[in-house]
Amino acid sequence: MVKLIGVNKINTSVFISGRGTNLKNLIKFSKKKNSPIKINIVISNNKKAYGLRYAKKNGIKFKIIDFSKKREINNLLNVLNFNNIRLICLAGFLKILSKEFIKSFKGKIINIHPSLLPKYKGLNTHYRVLENNEKFTGCSVHFVNEKLDDGKIILQKKIKIFKKDNVKSLKMRVLKEEYKLYPKSIIKIFNNY
Ligand code: GAR
């Protein structure tokens, strides 16, 4: 793991693919005095991502990247280095980053996932959790490695599943926890150094 030294605010990039409510929440968090991060640039693989509105609204630069094109990824690496980005937060980012990319930012990429990892990696998490009659679910923030929704866990939050829960209600209840867990995890990373 690379040391993230907490002088001033850490230049951070948030990667999104869609709705972006975690991005919205991280922007709010970044503006707090006790927040160790400053969000300099938002990256999306999807030019129609709703979440880009939150970047625009808050005057944060954003860039659309086609992650299937090596040239675009190289250009992205240059942009991130030029902006001295020290932390990348994946927030509903649905592309798998290449080994090379992860190597370039080793120990500096974190992700949030709506399950109690290592259980239920991948998509349709809440549906699968309910199908399996789980009693508990939750969310996890973890360091990113080359595998999907894998890597050292930073923090997890567990919640009870109610009999009346469906995919929609569970998604909303877990999201609410995600909004608390992501900032807490960022604070934890910086407190550890
Ligand atoms: C969140 O629930 C996040 O945990 C999940 O996508 C949603 C994005 O919502 N991420 C993953 O499933 C990653 N494997 P948002 O765009 O409103 O933040």
Side-chain angles (χ1 to χ4, degrees), residues 6 16 23 56 70 91 96 147 155 161 166 168 170 186:
I16 63 166
L23 166 66
K56 286 180 203 162
K70 215 169 171 162
I96 295 175
K147 297 185 207 141
L155 280 179
I161 299 176
N166 53 36
K168 198 174 164 199
L170 210 51
I186 291 170

Side-chain angles (χ1 to χ4, degrees), residues 5 10 40 83 87 115 152 158 165 170 173 184:
I5 302 159
I10 298 293
N40 302 68
N83 284 276
L87 178 70
S115 79
K152 191 176 174 224
K158 187 173 173 179
D165 267 321
L170 210 51
R173 290 179 51 226
K184 250 183 157 178

Side-chain angles (χ1 to χ4, degrees), residues 23-179:
L23 166 66
K24 182 184 178 197
N25 182 59
L26 287 177
I27 293 173
K28 191 172 154 208
F29 166 65
S30 72
K31 290 181 176 170
K32 291 191 174 156
K33 235 183 162 176
N34 72 334
S35 165
I37 62 162
K38 171 177 190 269
I39 300 174
N40 302 68
I41 184 161
V42 171
I43 303 299
S44 175
N45 62 306
N46 170 14
K47 66 173 192 283
K48 291 192 177 141
Y50 188 89
L52 288 171
R53 283 162 212 230
Y54 302 121
K56 286 180 203 162
K57 228 172 130 181
N58 287 278
I60 299 170
K61 290 179 279 201
F62 62 91
K63 229 177 157 18
I64 316 297
I65 299 290
D66 180 346
F67 280 82
S68 66
K69 296 198 174 120
K70 215 169 171 162
R71 194 173 41 86
E72 293 211 16
I73 297 178
N74 285 340
N75 182 29
L76 172 62
L77 284 170
N78 288 336
V79 169
L80 296 174
N81 286 325
F82 181 79
N83 284 276
N84 197 21
I85 296 301
R86 311 271 302 286
L87 178 70
I88 295 176
C89 296
L90 308 185
F93 181 68
L94 301 178
K95 284 267 158 195
I96 295 175
L97 294 168
S98 69
K99 269 188 194 158
E100 295 76 33
F101 188 94
I102 293 169
K103 225 170 144 189
S104 310
F105 280 90
K106 201 162 189 285
K108 297 180 189 172
I109 312 176
I110 62 177
N111 180 41
I112 188 152
H113 184 73
S115 79
L116 294 171
L117 290 173
K119 287 173 108 178
Y120 301 103
K121 298 173 179 183
L123 296 174
N124 302 319
T125 317
H126 306 299
Y127 174 78
R128 289 183 286 136
V129 162
L130 289 171
E131 280 286 292
N132 283 346
N133 290 315
E134 294 282 2
K135 300 269 176 294
F136 295 93
T137 186
C139 47
S140 313
V141 176
H142 64 96
F143 286 103
V144 169
N145 64 21
E146 316 78 51
K147 297 185 207 141
L148 178 72
D149 298 324
D150 201 72
K152 191 176 174 224
I153 307 258
I154 301 162
L155 280 179
Q156 285 186 315
K157 173 70 186 182
K158 187 173 173 179
I159 63 165
K160 201 170 157 33
I161 299 176
F162 303 134
K163 279 214 174 75
K164 59 173 198 251
D165 267 321
N166 53 36
V167 171
K168 198 174 164 199
S169 68
L170 210 51
K171 196 187 232 172
M172 292 319 293
R173 290 179 51 226
V174 171
L175 259 177
K176 255 182 139 175
E177 298 301 333
E178 290 185 37
Y179 303 151

